[in-house]
Amino acid sequence: MSREQRGPNEKLGAVLALAGISNAGLARRVNDLGAQRGLTLRYDKTSVARWVTKGMIPQGAAPHLIAAAISSKLGRRVPLHEIGLADTDPAPEVGLAFPRDVRGAVDSAMELYRLDVAPGKGIWQSLAGSFTVAAYATPVSRWLITPADAYVGRATPAQGPAAAGRVGHTDVSKLREAAEEARRWDSKYGGGDWRSSMVPECLRTDAAPLLLGSYADDVGRSLFRATAELTRLAGWMAFDTGQQEAAQRYYIQALRLARAAADVPLGGYVLASMSLQATYRGFADEGVDLAQAALERNRSVATARTMSFFHLVEARALAKAHDAPGCGAALSAAESWLERSREGDGDPGWLDFYAHDRLAADAAECYIDLKVPGQVRHFTEQALSEPTEEFVRSHGLRLVVAAVAELESGNLDAACAAGSRAVQVAGRISSARTTDYVRNLLHRLAPYGDEPLVKELQEQARPLLATPA
């Protein structure tokens, strides 16, 4: 569906010419981006011609998909107003700002929290396909320049019934407890579990009023830290369910709140999350930059275990970029830092998932990207040697990696056996990422489609792959 505006859309025509994209090329890109979001679009070169020459405005997510397609070609973020489609949605920029001042940071976060609490619905539906890695450039540069605000206290609460009064450490403790509980649920049931909606709801109804209250500087730091953790977690859950546009906005606001908290390691953790997302989306070079930004600012600041994790994230991006020497060096650094870690180091609570088994699991994935099956098998065996009852999703991902390792080593029976266990685990959680891993495994098994074990695994996975993310 489209609606008509007056006159041709000269802005869109000019940007398409600048990007060197034909009408047919743009239509194809938009249709492909829509398919990635579960949308069936059938635009063609005639559709694009109508957008440009007659000023027809496509409805739904299409304007954002157009902007995303052009952004990818130009290598920078293209806002809707630049292509003459700014009036198609009232809030395309929500969550992308990284204000320099603390009050602006609160306002930016509040604007994001007021959106529909369920990513994938409401405003998020119209923003589908709007992820662009270039949106991270300004937030990262500003965080690197100034990773901590000088003062964050608020003397008087904001006006309005939504604001809390005087905020104390007890109020902040409740937010921290909510973050810890949500992290446990996410690890056990996946980002798409119904309980995950509690996180954005908690941000909207619990954290937001506190941010608008009055508080001393020390309480404010703790408040911003707890809210940053919750906001990063909301982004991680959105990422896990395939809602990349929502994840990106939550990550940017989490980074800004971590700066207000003067918590450099937490800011690094947000950057590591951004790096994993960028790498997962195919932007390996940007993933390397994000991970290295986290490392650079945390030298002599973060604990040994934290530095180990940041190096591991760097290794994942370097492997995806096919930089074998760089990946090997990053993995060695990750192992070395982890060996240095000790009880009593004061590791942050959000890093409680990280130990040698997680390092081994990610190392295995690195070697999948580098196509070294022997190393994949070696590290997968280490990763699966530890019990993972609390981290069900992680266990499922490791089983898929184990299946890939067996397949690439020529052990089809063992690959199908591990794949079968992975499908069983994936069926117990709600994680689009885990489903993507299973789908990738089945793609690798396609050449063996006539084998009975492969047919059996394909049939076992059918209900999982048919379930919407």
Side-chain angles (χ1 to χ4, degrees), residues 33-47:
L33 286 172
Q36 293 174 19
R37 310 300 303 134
L39 304 174
T40 302
L41 303 176
R42 296 185 175 87
Y43 294 119
D44 55 24
K45 62 181 181 180
T46 304
S47 307

Side-chain angles (χ1 to χ4, degrees), residues 423-435:
V423 170
Q424 292 174 20
V425 173
R428 291 160 44 199
I429 60 176
S430 180
S431 167
R433 193 158 48 100
T434 305
T435 302

Side-chain angles (χ1 to χ4, degrees), residues 75-402:
R76 64 172 176 84
R77 184 170 170 274
V78 176
L80 290 182
H81 66 77
E82 187 177 342
I83 55 175
L85 298 174
D87 63 344
T88 60
D89 196 294
E93 309 299 315
V94 170
L96 296 178
F98 193 92
R100 288 188 171 88
D101 63 291
V102 177
R103 295 297 169 259
V106 170
D107 291 342
S108 183
M110 295 289 291
E111 192 177 26
L112 177 63
Y113 300 159
R114 290 190 189 105
L115 295 185
D116 247 341
V117 297
K121 300 179 181 178
I123 188 69
W124 297 118
Q125 187 73 26
S126 67
L127 291 178
S130 62
F131 169 86
T132 170
V133 74
Y136 285 143
T138 296
V140 173
S141 64
R142 289 186 180 174
W143 183 82
L144 283 170
I145 293 167
T146 310
D149 289 298
Y151 180 79
V152 298
R154 184 193 283 266
T156 57
Q159 298 299 311
R166 188 70 177 172
V167 180
H169 287 294
T170 301
D171 301 302
V172 177
S173 294
K174 293 177 182 178
L175 287 184
R176 281 203 304 269
E177 290 171 5
E180 291 170 3
E181 181 68 12
R183 280 192 294 109
R184 285 193 291 271
W185 279 117
D186 170 65
S187 295
K188 197 167 185 178
Y189 298 107
D193 181 72
W194 67 269
R195 297 167 190 82
S196 66
S197 64
M198 292 166 52
V199 177
E201 176 67 16
C202 179
L203 288 168
R204 186 172 67 87
T205 62
D206 298 327
L210 296 178
L211 291 174
L212 294 175
S214 65
Y215 33 83
D217 183 68
D218 63 327
V219 174
R221 301 287 188 193
S222 296
L223 173 60
F224 283 116
R225 180 178 298 111
T227 308
E229 287 188 37
L230 275 167
T231 305
R232 190 216 67 88
L233 184 58
W236 179 258
M237 289 175 164
F239 164 61
D240 190 50
T241 56
Q243 304 296 328
Q244 306 300 334
E245 55 288 328
Q248 181 168 59
R249 287 161 167 78
Y250 279 117
Y251 284 159
I252 290 173
Q253 297 313 302
L255 185 64
R256 184 59 189 87
L257 293 167
R259 180 171 122 168
D263 192 329
V264 177
L266 178 56
Y269 187 39
V270 178
L271 288 174
S273 301
M274 291 177 171
S275 174
L276 289 169
Q277 182 192 34
T279 302
Y280 181 79
R281 295 279 295 170
F283 300 98
D285 288 340
E286 289 82 355
V288 173
D289 292 340
L290 289 161
Q292 291 180 348
L295 284 163
E296 184 60 34
R297 264 299 178 185
N298 273 280
R299 298 188 195 283
S300 304
V301 176
T303 65
R305 192 152 68 116
T306 304
M307 290 295 288
S308 172
F309 179 69
F310 293 165
H311 274 293
L312 183 62
V313 173
E314 178 192 25
R316 291 290 301 271
L318 287 165
K320 190 66 73 173
H322 308 297
D323 181 352
C327 176
L331 285 175
S332 294
E335 186 174 13
S336 176
W337 278 106
L338 191 55
E339 290 295 334
R340 288 187 233 173
S341 67
R342 297 290 183 270
E343 291 290 336
D345 279 352
D347 292 317
W350 40 259
L351 199 62
D352 61 3
F353 65 89
Y354 184 57
H356 285 88
D357 62 315
R358 173 59 188 267
L359 191 156
D362 281 43
E365 295 210 46
C366 288
Y367 285 112
I368 282 182
D369 291 328
L370 295 175
K371 303 185 186 308
V372 186
Q375 289 287 70
V376 177
R377 191 171 189 179
H378 168 71
F379 282 108
T380 300
E381 289 173 355
Q382 289 186 30
L384 290 172
S385 66
E386 298 291 333
T388 54
E389 289 81 2
E390 293 182 42
F391 307 107
V392 178
R393 178 182 52 213
S394 179
H395 184 62
L397 295 175
R398 294 175 193 186
L399 285 170
V400 175
V401 174

